[in-house]
Short mmCIF file of all heavy atoms in Angstrom, two decimals:
data_model
loop_
_atom_site.label_atom_id
_atom_site.label_comp_id
_atom_site.label_asym_id
_atom_site.label_seq_id
_atom_site.Cartn_x
_atom_site.Cartn_y
_atom_site.Cartn_z
N GLU W 59 70.41 113.23 150.93
CA GLU W 59 71.07 114.35 151.47
C GLU W 59 72.41 114.63 150.70
O GLU W 59 72.81 115.75 150.55
CB GLU W 59 71.37 114.17 152.95
CG GLU W 59 70.09 114.11 153.80
CD GLU W 59 70.41 113.79 155.25
OE1 GLU W 59 71.61 113.61 155.54
OE2 GLU W 59 69.49 113.79 156.06
N ASP W 60 73.02 113.55 150.23
CA ASP W 60 74.27 113.70 149.54
C ASP W 60 74.17 113.70 148.05
O ASP W 60 75.12 113.53 147.35
CB ASP W 60 75.24 112.54 149.98
CG ASP W 60 75.50 112.52 151.49
OD1 ASP W 60 75.38 113.61 152.06
OD2 ASP W 60 75.75 111.47 152.02
N ASP W 61 72.93 113.89 147.59
CA ASP W 61 72.68 113.82 146.15
C ASP W 61 73.49 114.92 145.45
O ASP W 61 73.23 116.12 145.62
CB ASP W 61 71.19 114.00 145.88
CG ASP W 61 70.83 113.82 144.43
OD1 ASP W 61 71.77 113.62 143.60
OD2 ASP W 61 69.63 113.81 144.09
N PRO W 62 74.43 114.56 144.60
CA PRO W 62 75.22 115.54 143.91
C PRO W 62 74.43 116.43 142.92
O PRO W 62 74.86 117.47 142.50
CB PRO W 62 76.33 114.75 143.21
CG PRO W 62 75.72 113.37 143.04
CD PRO W 62 74.84 113.21 144.23
N ASP W 63 73.24 115.88 142.52
CA ASP W 63 72.43 116.63 141.56
C ASP W 63 71.57 117.70 142.20
O ASP W 63 70.92 118.47 141.56
CB ASP W 63 71.57 115.64 140.77
CG ASP W 63 72.36 114.69 139.96
OD1 ASP W 63 73.48 115.10 139.51
OD2 ASP W 63 71.90 113.59 139.71
N GLU W 64 71.55 117.70 143.58
CA GLU W 64 70.70 118.69 144.30
C GLU W 64 71.37 120.02 144.14
O GLU W 64 72.53 120.23 144.46
CB GLU W 64 70.67 118.27 145.79
CG GLU W 64 69.71 119.14 146.58
CD GLU W 64 68.28 118.85 146.35
OE1 GLU W 64 67.96 117.74 145.85
OE2 GLU W 64 67.43 119.68 146.68
N PRO W 65 70.63 121.05 143.63
CA PRO W 65 71.22 122.36 143.45
C PRO W 65 71.58 123.02 144.77
O PRO W 65 70.87 122.85 145.76
CB PRO W 65 70.13 123.18 142.73
CG PRO W 65 68.87 122.47 143.08
CD PRO W 65 69.22 121.00 143.21
N GLU W 66 72.68 123.70 144.82
CA GLU W 66 73.09 124.40 146.05
C GLU W 66 72.35 125.73 146.19
O GLU W 66 72.34 126.55 145.27
CB GLU W 66 74.59 124.67 146.05
CG GLU W 66 75.12 125.34 147.28
CD GLU W 66 76.63 125.55 147.30
OE1 GLU W 66 77.25 125.01 146.32
OE2 GLU W 66 77.16 126.24 148.17
N LEU W 67 71.71 125.93 147.35
CA LEU W 67 70.96 127.13 147.58
C LEU W 67 71.89 128.26 148.01
O LEU W 67 72.91 128.00 148.63
CB LEU W 67 69.85 126.90 148.64
CG LEU W 67 68.85 125.83 148.28
CD1 LEU W 67 67.83 125.65 149.41
CD2 LEU W 67 68.13 126.15 146.98
N ASN W 68 71.53 129.49 147.68
CA ASN W 68 72.39 130.63 147.88
C ASN W 68 71.77 131.65 148.77
O ASN W 68 70.61 131.59 149.19
CB ASN W 68 72.73 131.29 146.55
CG ASN W 68 73.56 130.38 145.64
OD1 ASN W 68 74.51 129.77 146.10
ND2 ASN W 68 73.13 130.26 144.40
N GLU W 69 72.59 132.67 149.17
CA GLU W 69 72.13 133.82 149.91
C GLU W 69 72.45 135.06 149.13
O GLU W 69 73.19 135.00 148.07
CB GLU W 69 72.80 133.88 151.26
CG GLU W 69 72.38 132.67 152.19
CD GLU W 69 73.04 132.75 153.57
OE1 GLU W 69 73.98 133.60 153.73
OE2 GLU W 69 72.66 131.96 154.45
N ALA W 70 71.94 136.22 149.54
CA ALA W 70 72.20 137.44 148.81
C ALA W 70 72.57 138.55 149.77
O ALA W 70 72.06 138.66 150.89
CB ALA W 70 70.96 137.82 148.01
N ASP W 71 73.42 139.44 149.30
CA ASP W 71 73.86 140.65 150.01
C ASP W 71 73.56 141.87 149.13
O ASP W 71 73.96 141.89 147.95
CB ASP W 71 75.31 140.64 150.36
CG ASP W 71 75.66 139.48 151.32
OD1 ASP W 71 75.20 139.49 152.46
OD2 ASP W 71 76.37 138.53 150.86
N LEU W 72 72.88 142.85 149.70
CA LEU W 72 72.51 144.05 148.96
C LEU W 72 73.11 145.26 149.71
O LEU W 72 72.79 145.48 150.90
CB LEU W 72 71.00 144.18 148.87
CG LEU W 72 70.46 145.46 148.24
CD1 LEU W 72 70.94 145.63 146.81
CD2 LEU W 72 68.93 145.51 148.30
N ILE W 73 73.93 146.05 149.01
CA ILE W 73 74.47 147.29 149.52
C ILE W 73 73.81 148.44 148.79
O ILE W 73 73.88 148.51 147.57
CB ILE W 73 76.02 147.35 149.41
CG1 ILE W 73 76.65 146.22 150.15
CG2 ILE W 73 76.49 148.70 149.90
CD1 ILE W 73 78.13 146.14 149.94
N ILE W 74 73.19 149.36 149.52
CA ILE W 74 72.52 150.51 148.96
C ILE W 74 73.32 151.78 149.31
O ILE W 74 73.45 152.15 150.42
CB ILE W 74 71.13 150.60 149.50
CG1 ILE W 74 70.32 149.33 149.24
CG2 ILE W 74 70.38 151.83 148.87
CD1 ILE W 74 69.03 149.24 150.05
N ARG W 75 73.81 152.39 148.26
CA ARG W 75 74.58 153.66 148.42
C ARG W 75 73.62 154.85 148.16
O ARG W 75 73.14 154.96 147.05
CB ARG W 75 75.82 153.69 147.52
CG ARG W 75 76.88 152.74 148.02
CD ARG W 75 78.18 152.81 147.17
NE ARG W 75 79.23 152.09 147.82
CZ ARG W 75 79.42 150.74 147.75
NH1 ARG W 75 78.58 150.03 147.03
NH2 ARG W 75 80.39 150.17 148.39
N THR W 76 73.41 155.64 149.17
CA THR W 76 72.42 156.68 149.10
C THR W 76 72.87 157.86 149.93
O THR W 76 73.96 157.88 150.47
CB THR W 76 71.05 156.15 149.57
OG1 THR W 76 70.05 157.16 149.40
CG2 THR W 76 71.10 155.62 150.96
N ASP W 77 72.01 158.87 150.08
CA ASP W 77 72.25 160.00 150.95
C ASP W 77 70.92 160.63 151.38
O ASP W 77 69.85 160.20 150.89
CB ASP W 77 73.24 161.03 150.33
CG ASP W 77 72.65 161.70 149.08
OD1 ASP W 77 71.45 161.96 148.97
OD2 ASP W 77 73.46 161.93 148.12
N PRO W 78 70.92 161.62 152.25
CA PRO W 78 69.60 162.16 152.75
C PRO W 78 68.76 162.86 151.72
O PRO W 78 67.56 163.00 151.90
CB PRO W 78 70.07 163.14 153.82
CG PRO W 78 71.42 162.70 154.25
CD PRO W 78 72.05 162.10 153.03
#
Side-chain angles (χ1 to χ4, degrees):
E59 293 175 359
D60 300 333
D61 186 355
D63 296 330
E64 186 75 19
E66 181 179 353
L67 300 180
N68 294 313
E69 296 181 349
D71 297 295
L72 174 62
I73 299 175
I74 303 167
R75 288 183 168 83
T76 183
D77 62 37

